[in-house]
Amino acid sequence: MKKSLLSALLVCTIAVSAVPSIALADNYDQQIQEKDQKISDLQGKQSDVQTQIDGLTSEIATVSEKVKDLEAKQDQLNKDTMKLQEKIATLKVRIAKRNEVIKSQARDTQVKGQATNYVSAVLEADSLSDVVGRVQAMSTIVKANHSLMEQQKADEKAVEEKVKDNETKVAEIQTNQKELEAQKNEIANKQAELNVVKANYAAEQATAEQDKSKLKKQQEEAKAEQARVLKEQQEAAKAQKAEQERQAQEAAKAQKAFEESQAKAAKEQAEQTKASAESSTSTEASSSASEESSTSSSATTEPKTEASSTDDTKTPEPTLPINTGGNKVDHTGSGNMYAVGQCTWYVKNVAPWAGTYWGNGCQWGASAAADGFQVDGSPAPGSIVVFAQGQSVGTWNADPSYGHVAYVQSYNASNNTITITQGGMGFPTPTGPNTATLSAAGLQYIHP
């Protein structure tokens, strides 16, 4: 029975050995069809993705054009705001000067007591012509004073109108800046989406081409393998009868070898059982002695701990000196109406006591003096330094049209230098702070 079963098993092994090669070739044909379909689908996707890319490119161009228009409009509004600030500063200085003239004339001519002055002029006159001359002179002075007062009121009204106009323009600039940032974010998102689409398409295209190349190679190999398998099957059919006879002989030999090995194994098993019984007694005695030895001694250790302490020290921060004197206009609650990114905006941001409508940088000294602030050539921490139009300081020049202002952080008397922070479009960070150290000589300083 065992002999016939072993013979049948060997014959089946030979007959089945040729099947996997044929099945493998058929499997390659199926995979080639699936990959062909996938390549066709990828070609359709390629067309769809290209359409999306073209649409995004057109949309990006449209958004970019809008961004350029907004940037141009913002630049024009900044220029208009600077001009308006210059006009406001000029009017404020003019009003301050007229106030001084009116105060001086009021003391000399006593505008509020015109009737008394007329009587005194007539009584003290030497002649009739002298009386007429004095009356005409006083009338002229009174009319001039009234004219100056009326002009001052008109100028003050003009300042108020300019201030409102400036606030409107500044609000418009801020609105445009927000819109510009939104447009820039939108175009950045579109560009990111376009890059992702391009990357995905490139990856899919590369994968499809690689798969297509592999499939062609696999198809050729499958056909060659199929031809080889068919040839082997034909040769195997011829040798099958001879192989069956050989297998029958080998099966008889194997059966005999199997019976001999079974007898030998039974004998070895009996000998091993006897040896195991003899070694068991010796092992139990050795184990008992080892347990007594392992419990005879033990050792313990205690860990040591260390402690450390640290000292914390604090250094008090220095305070900047503040000059409080004179009848100054309080600007701390007026807000920052200067254009964002300009030097004037930065200084007003770090020094809220600075004027809201002091004009361009080169006008700040005169505007501050008109508002009652101390303006001189003495540098001090916490003051505002004013640069004239195109003023040269070492290797750096102020703007030739608008000048420049900065905030004084510290003053070194030993070498007569100041350390300043500043903002402006010409610096790496327009909204500041940008730090620099330069000579303090020849500059104008506004003290708080």
Side-chain angles (χ1 to χ4, degrees):
M1 180 67 182
K2 291 182 180 179
K3 180 178 179 181
S4 59
L5 181 61
L6 182 59
S7 300
L9 180 60
L10 292 174
V11 171
C12 291
T13 302
I14 295 175
V16 177
S17 62
V19 175
S21 297
I22 300 174
L24 186 61
D26 295 336
N27 188 31
Y28 280 148
D29 290 337
Q30 182 180 357
Q31 288 183 7
I32 289 172
Q33 292 178 358
E34 293 175 354
K35 294 298 181 180
D36 286 339
Q37 182 62 41
K38 185 175 182 180
I39 290 173
S40 178
D41 294 339
L42 286 174
Q43 289 175 348
K45 290 181 180 179
Q46 175 183 354
S47 179
D48 294 339
V49 170
Q50 187 61 47
T51 301
Q52 294 177 12
I53 291 174
D54 294 340
L56 286 174
T57 302
S58 177
E59 189 173 351
I60 288 173
T62 302
V63 174
S64 298
E65 189 65 27
K66 290 181 180 179
V67 170
K68 289 181 181 178
D69 293 340
L70 285 174
E71 288 176 347
K73 187 176 181 181
Q74 183 183 19
D75 183 65
Q76 185 61 43
L77 285 173
N78 284 333
K79 292 179 180 178
D80 294 342
T81 300
M82 289 181 181
K83 292 180 180 179
L84 187 59
Q85 292 281 5
E86 184 175 357
K87 292 180 181 179
I88 292 173
T90 301
L91 288 173
K92 289 185 68 68
V93 174
R94 187 185 302 169
I95 291 171
K97 290 181 179 179
R98 284 178 182 164
N99 277 328
E100 293 298 327
V101 172
I102 291 174
K103 290 179 183 178
S104 177
Q105 290 181 352
R107 291 192 296 269
D108 296 337
T109 62
Q110 299 178 357
V111 176
K112 294 183 180 179
Q114 293 180 12
T116 302
N117 289 336
Y118 278 117
V119 172
S120 299
V122 171
L123 295 177
E124 294 174 1
D126 296 332
S127 62
L128 181 59
S129 61
D130 189 17
V131 171
V132 174
R134 292 191 178 192
V135 171
Q136 290 178 346
M138 294 191 65
S139 297
T140 301
I141 293 173
V142 171
K143 290 180 180 179
N145 286 334
H146 282 295
S147 177
L148 285 174
M149 292 176 64
E150 293 298 327
Q151 185 62 41
Q152 180 180 358
K153 291 179 180 179
D155 287 342
E156 289 177 347
K157 184 177 180 181
V159 170
E160 293 176 357
E161 293 176 354
K162 294 295 182 183
V163 168
K164 292 179 181 180
D165 189 19
N166 183 74
E167 291 175 352
T168 301
K169 288 183 178 294
V170 170
E172 187 177 355
I173 289 175
Q174 293 175 348
T175 301
N176 286 335
Q177 286 176 337
K178 291 180 180 179
E179 185 178 355
L180 181 62
E181 290 300 325
Q183 293 289 344
K184 286 183 178 179
N185 291 336
E186 183 179 355
I187 193 172
N189 291 335
K190 293 294 183 182
Q191 288 175 340
E193 292 174 1
L194 179 61
N195 289 333
V196 170
V197 172
K198 285 184 176 180
N200 290 339
Y201 168 70
E204 290 180 1
Q205 184 180 20
T207 302
E209 294 297 334
Q210 290 177 357
D211 290 343
K212 184 177 180 180
S213 177
K214 290 180 180 178
L215 285 174
K216 288 183 177 180
K217 184 178 180 180
Q218 290 173 357
Q219 186 178 27
E220 294 174 356
E221 292 175 352
K223 290 180 179 180
E225 180 67 13
Q226 189 174 11
R228 185 187 66 80
V229 170
L230 292 174
K231 183 178 180 180
E232 288 180 352
Q233 287 177 344
Q234 291 174 356
E235 293 176 351
K238 295 178 180 179
Q240 184 174 2
K241 184 177 181 180
E243 184 64 22
Q244 288 177 352
E245 294 176 355
R246 186 187 66 79
Q247 287 181 0
Q249 294 176 358
E250 293 291 335
K253 293 180 181 180
Q255 180 64 27
K256 184 179 179 179
F258 174 76
E259 292 174 353
E260 290 176 352
S261 64
Q262 287 291 96
K264 184 178 180 181
K267 182 178 179 181
E268 291 176 350
Q269 181 66 31
E271 292 176 353
Q272 290 178 359
T273 301
K274 183 179 179 180
S276 297
E278 292 176 352
S279 63
S280 175
T281 303
S282 176
T283 302
E284 288 177 357
S286 175
S287 176
S288 175
S290 176
E291 289 177 356
E292 291 177 358
S293 176
S294 62
T295 57
S296 62
S297 63
S298 64
T300 60
T301 59
E302 294 183 357
K304 296 182 179 180
T305 60
E306 294 181 356
S308 62
S309 62
T310 58
D311 295 332
D312 295 333
T313 59
K314 295 184 178 179
T315 303
E317 296 181 357
T319 58
L320 298 177
I322 302 298
N323 183 358
T324 58
N327 297 324
K328 296 178 292 187
V329 179
D330 184 11
H331 295 289
T332 54
S334 61
N336 193 343
M337 294 292 114
Y338 296 100
V340 178
Q342 300 295 332
C343 61
T344 50
W345 180 89
Y346 171 78
V347 174
K348 174 64 177 175
N349 204 38
V350 298
W353 53 268
T356 305
Y357 303 110
W358 279 1
N360 298 322
C362 60
Q363 296 176 303
W364 274 40
S367 298
D371 281 351
F373 288 83
Q374 179 183 348
V375 182
D376 55 28
S378 301
S383 62
I384 298 173
V385 57
V386 180
F387 299 86
Q389 296 169 320
Q391 184 172 5
S392 177
V393 183
T395 58
W396 179 81
N397 295 329
D399 187 274
S401 299
Y402 307 114
H404 186 60
V405 288
Y407 184 78
V408 179
Q409 294 287 347
S410 61
Y411 170 61
N412 190 342
S414 62
N415 58 3
N416 194 30
T417 59
I418 55 175
T419 298
I420 62 174
T421 55
Q422 55 196 332
M425 292 301 180
F427 295 98
T429 306
T431 56
N434 302 277
T435 305
T437 300
L438 49 107
S439 173
L443 299 173
Q444 195 178 49
Y445 300 88
I446 305 172
H447 299 276

